[in-house]
Amino acid sequence: MQADKLKKYRPYPTVPLKDRTWPDNTITEAPLWCSVDLRDGNQALRQPMNLEQKLEMFQLLVDIGFKEIEVGFPAASKVEFDFLRLLIEDNLIPEDVTVQVLTQAREHLIRKSFAALQGVRKGIVHLYNSTSTLQRQVVFKMDRKEIIQLGVQGAQVIREEAERFDGDIRYEYSPESFTGTELDFALEICEEVMGVWEPTPERPVVVNLPATVEMATANIYADQIEWFIRQMKNRDCALISLHAHNDRGSAVAATELALMAGADRVEGTLFGNGERTGNVDIITLALNMFSQGVDPKLDFSNVNRVVNVYKRCTDLPVHPRHPYVGDLVYTAFSGSHQDAISKGMDAVADDASGVWAVPYLPIDPKDVGRTYESIICINSQSGKGGAAYIMDRQFGYKLPKSMQPGFGRVVQEKTENIGKELSSKAVYTVFEREYLQEEGYFRLKEFNVLKRHIDQQEDMSTADVEAVLFVNGQEQRLRGTGNGPLDAMCAVLNDQAELYFVLHSYDEHSLTEGASSRAVTYIELMDKREKGSREGWWGAGVDTDIIVSSIKALLSAVNRMHAGR
């Protein structure tokens, strides 16, 4: 940045709080939550939601578990007014949900808000007026006393309306732009408003302290909240509420630290939708708590539904890297990450404690309705572990460790050739083409075990086998003897097909359960002509007969060795 531009800006003042306590605290329980998606979130949209979209969003918020929902500013527009009337008249507000309405400290707006609330069982009237130093000086041209008078007059009208209202009305006050307001003045005006409403511990008011514009680091917001709570009178008669915006990109952190400082309640939106850079993201806040073993009291076990409804109602995208809910947040492309995740998943599966501890995955994707299918995806940056993980978790093939590098190279070559990510199905297709297709220089037509010889005294056995192969397209009938069918087939190929290999590794497992289960066999051959080779030629075979699957795997390895793959 140009040095002369810096002269335009001044550092935000710190809070004189030398004995602050919040840094030693932790979040051990969820706050009270209030969604402002239908008000803060809605007013920030290029095209505000229509009634149908508002209804769908309201139902989503109810299903997630919000007990307080700010449904709009009914005195500001007909759509806002009509929406609240629809909720009330069609009895769409559950008994345990309180709807909240926003109003400025102006008498006619307050009275219209109460008209919109007629018939509601439980409501919160949220009064605000701007208190910031800058707005007092530049926008309103008013001093502190005049600003306080505005807030007090608004509070008096609200109390007057509430006392004759046939329903349960609670009060909320926001000194708008709290973070731009001198702390002593913010405290003064809040206490003056509380003095009008006369709250009790049994019926506290909500004192909402918004970072309407995020102006400083998260720790300063926490200091402001702790200072305010310490200084205010009748603390037990107020619920301290947070309403953070994200201008500096730290609304989540600021809210978490402010909760540690003693706040009781949080207002925010799904995905942080809101003016400028948005409001605090309640999904991230809630799942951050969840990841620490704290019940957030909100249900995000089906984030796919939340994403779909949000997109449909707001016409906004969700970034693929959005914490916890983005399409790619549980996906690893890096080879080292894939290897660590794969090992972590295996360790969790073997751990009877049930504790989640997987590298790179702070929560189990299944807990938010995601599957393991997308944890590892394959592109040119992926390593051997990723492809092996997909083959194991999605298709049941547990590739031997020393087989994985070779398969990884085959997959990487494919991704580099096509220049994009490989789907799980495409990874399997690569494996099938490379190892399982019964094509190549040597092809099996028939295989029979002619005779088994068991010598009980010598504790050994031999087998006579016959195989009909297509060798470079020509049918040949070959016979041989070995310690078992596989050893006999190795001898046949070495002696009669003039190959030069030794069987180095053998592994097998069942692919499916039951009497008709299929077996998969993996075989590694070392070429005798390649002196000092540390990696052999792997093949794989699948069949319901374990002997046949091993012969298929042997020919798979022989064909790959013959082709130099």
Side-chain angles (χ1 to χ4, degrees), residues 248-263:
R248 292 172 57 93
S250 52
V252 167
T255 301
E256 289 177 331
L257 298 188
L259 286 172
M260 291 159 58

Side-chain angles (χ1 to χ4, degrees), residues 84 153 200 244 337 419 461 466 558:
L84 179 52
Q153 288 175 348
T200 65
H337 288 204
S461 64
E466 179 183 70
V558 165

Side-chain angles (χ1 to χ4, degrees), residues 113-134:
S113 298
F114 273 90
L117 282 166
Q118 290 300 317
V120 79
R121 287 184 292 266
K122 295 188 296 183
I124 297 174
V125 177
H126 181 184
L127 173 71
Y128 79 96
N129 65 309
S130 185
T131 59
S132 77
T133 311
L134 184 62

Side-chain angles (χ1 to χ4, degrees), residues 249-496:
S250 52
V252 167
T255 301
E256 289 177 331
L257 298 188
L259 286 172
M260 291 159 58
D264 308 296
R265 182 177 183 268
V266 171
E267 295 187 348
T269 60
L270 303 179
F271 305 99
N273 177 37
E275 297 281 13
R276 303 179 310 280
T277 57
N279 289 45
V280 69
D281 176 19
I282 283 184
I283 299 176
T284 300
L285 275 173
L287 292 177
N288 279 356
M289 294 178 194
F290 178 73
S291 74
Q292 304 301 301
V294 175
D295 183 357
K297 306 297 184 183
L298 294 175
D299 183 4
F300 290 109
S301 60
N302 185 359
V303 295
N304 289 335
R305 181 200 172 204
V306 176
V307 169
N308 291 336
V309 172
Y310 172 81
K311 287 180 176 179
R312 190 159 54 245
C313 291
T314 66
D315 197 29
L316 290 175
V318 173
H319 196 283
R321 299 295 182 188
H322 193 103
Y324 298 110
V325 297
D327 286 343
L328 296 178
V329 297
Y330 302 109
T331 302
F333 292 99
S334 161
S336 61
H337 288 204
Q338 291 174 346
D339 183 60
I341 290 171
S342 178
K343 290 174 180 174
M345 295 291 286
D346 289 341
V348 163
D350 295 336
D351 186 354
S353 72
V355 174
W356 179 259
V358 175
Y360 302 110
L361 296 179
I363 67 170
D364 185 345
K366 282 191 173 180
D367 292 336
V368 291
R370 292 287 173 83
T371 68
Y372 293 144
E373 183 174 342
S374 63
I375 288 180
I376 288 177
C377 289
I378 305 301
N379 64 15
S380 60
Q381 303 301 307
S382 306
K384 64 182 186 298
Y389 177 90
I390 287 174
M391 291 303 300
D392 180 5
R393 298 288 173 165
Q394 296 190 40
F395 303 107
Y397 288 81
K398 302 182 184 300
L399 307 188
K401 187 174 182 179
S402 55
M403 182 183 182
Q404 294 176 16
F407 179 50
R409 286 193 297 272
V410 172
V411 171
Q412 186 175 43
E413 180 181 349
K414 178 67 173 178
T415 61
E416 289 174 344
N417 288 340
I418 65 174
K420 61 181 181 180
E421 174 190 344
L422 281 187
S423 67
S424 298
K425 183 177 180 181
V427 171
Y428 177 80
T429 299
V430 171
F431 181 83
E432 183 179 47
R433 183 202 67 213
E434 187 71 17
Y435 297 97
L436 300 181
Q437 284 185 0
E438 297 173 22
E439 298 176 358
Y441 195 83
F442 297 92
R443 291 171 51 210
L444 182 65
K445 181 180 180 181
E446 295 179 19
F447 181 81
N448 296 293
V449 179
L450 301 178
K451 188 180 291 186
R452 299 292 295 265
H453 307 278
I454 301 174
D455 189 329
Q456 299 287 357
Q457 293 183 343
E458 297 293 333
D459 194 23
M460 62 180 293
S461 64
T462 59
D464 296 338
V465 301
E466 179 183 70
V468 179
L469 303 178
F470 290 104
V471 181
N472 196 22
Q474 300 297 314
E475 184 175 315
Q476 295 186 24
R477 187 175 297 273
L478 307 174
R479 289 190 176 191
T481 300
N483 292 333
L486 180 59
D487 183 65
M489 189 62 182
C490 287
V492 165
L493 292 172
N494 270 317
D495 297 342
Q496 300 177 41

Side-chain angles (χ1 to χ4, degrees), residues 70-340:
E70 191 163 273
V71 293
F73 195 148
S77 73
K78 186 177 186 302
V79 172
E80 302 276 285
F81 190 98
D82 290 347
F83 174 59
L84 179 52
R85 296 309 309 154
L86 179 65
L87 291 177
I88 296 170
E89 292 169 7
D90 286 11
N91 198 29
L92 300 176
I93 305 170
E95 290 188 6
D96 62 345
V97 172
T98 300
V99 293
Q100 178 172 303
V101 297
L102 183 70
T103 180
Q104 291 173 323
R106 298 169 66 182
E107 182 176 350
H108 71 286
L109 297 179
I110 293 169
R111 297 197 190 282
K112 190 169 183 179
S113 298
F114 273 90
L117 282 166
Q118 290 300 317
V120 79
R121 287 184 292 266
K122 295 188 296 183
I124 297 174
V125 177
H126 181 184
L127 173 71
Y128 79 96
N129 65 309
S130 185
T131 59
S132 77
T133 311
L134 184 62
Q135 293 210 41
R136 292 199 315 265
Q137 296 171 351
V138 175
V139 180
F140 302 111
K141 310 292 186 184
M142 298 172 72
D143 60 22
R144 287 189 177 193
K145 185 177 179 180
E146 291 171 307
I147 294 294
I148 289 175
Q149 189 61 29
L150 274 179
V152 167
Q153 288 175 348
Q156 289 169 340
V157 176
I158 287 173
R159 178 166 181 172
E160 175 188 325
E161 288 284 343
E163 287 178 345
R164 61 171 179 250
F165 189 83
D166 186 18
D168 183 11
I169 295 296
R170 290 166 45 212
Y171 308 132
E172 176 175 350
Y173 176 66
S174 289
E176 190 198 6
S177 299
F178 165 75
T179 49
T181 304
E182 306 92 332
L183 280 174
D184 65 322
F185 179 52
L187 178 64
E188 182 183 3
I189 193 170
C190 287
E191 289 184 338
E192 289 286 346
V193 169
M194 288 176 68
V196 173
W197 286 336
E198 297 183 307
T200 65
E202 294 72 33
R203 286 186 63 81
V205 299
V206 176
V207 176
N208 190 52
L209 302 176
T212 308
V213 178
E214 187 176 38
M215 304 170 73
T217 52
N219 61 298
I220 290 182
Y221 189 46
D223 279 350
Q224 291 171 321
I225 299 302
E226 182 166 341
W227 184 95
F228 190 98
I229 287 172
R230 285 194 195 182
Q231 302 299 322
M232 74 179 301
K233 302 171 187 174
N234 302 319
R235 168 67 179 96
D236 60 343
C237 297
L239 297 171
I240 301 300
S241 179
L242 308 171
H243 185 116
H245 281 250
N246 200 42
D247 299 85
R248 292 172 57 93
S250 52
V252 167
T255 301
E256 289 177 331
L257 298 188
L259 286 172
M260 291 159 58
D264 308 296
R265 182 177 183 268
V266 171
E267 295 187 348
T269 60
L270 303 179
F271 305 99
N273 177 37
E275 297 281 13
R276 303 179 310 280
T277 57
N279 289 45
V280 69
D281 176 19
I282 283 184
I283 299 176
T284 300
L285 275 173
L287 292 177
N288 279 356
M289 294 178 194
F290 178 73
S291 74
Q292 304 301 301
V294 175
D295 183 357
K297 306 297 184 183
L298 294 175
D299 183 4
F300 290 109
S301 60
N302 185 359
V303 295
N304 289 335
R305 181 200 172 204
V306 176
V307 169
N308 291 336
V309 172
Y310 172 81
K311 287 180 176 179
R312 190 159 54 245
C313 291
T314 66
D315 197 29
L316 290 175
V318 173
H319 196 283
R321 299 295 182 188
H322 193 103
Y324 298 110
V325 297
D327 286 343
L328 296 178
V329 297
Y330 302 109
T331 302
F333 292 99
S334 161
S336 61
H337 288 204
Q338 291 174 346
D339 183 60

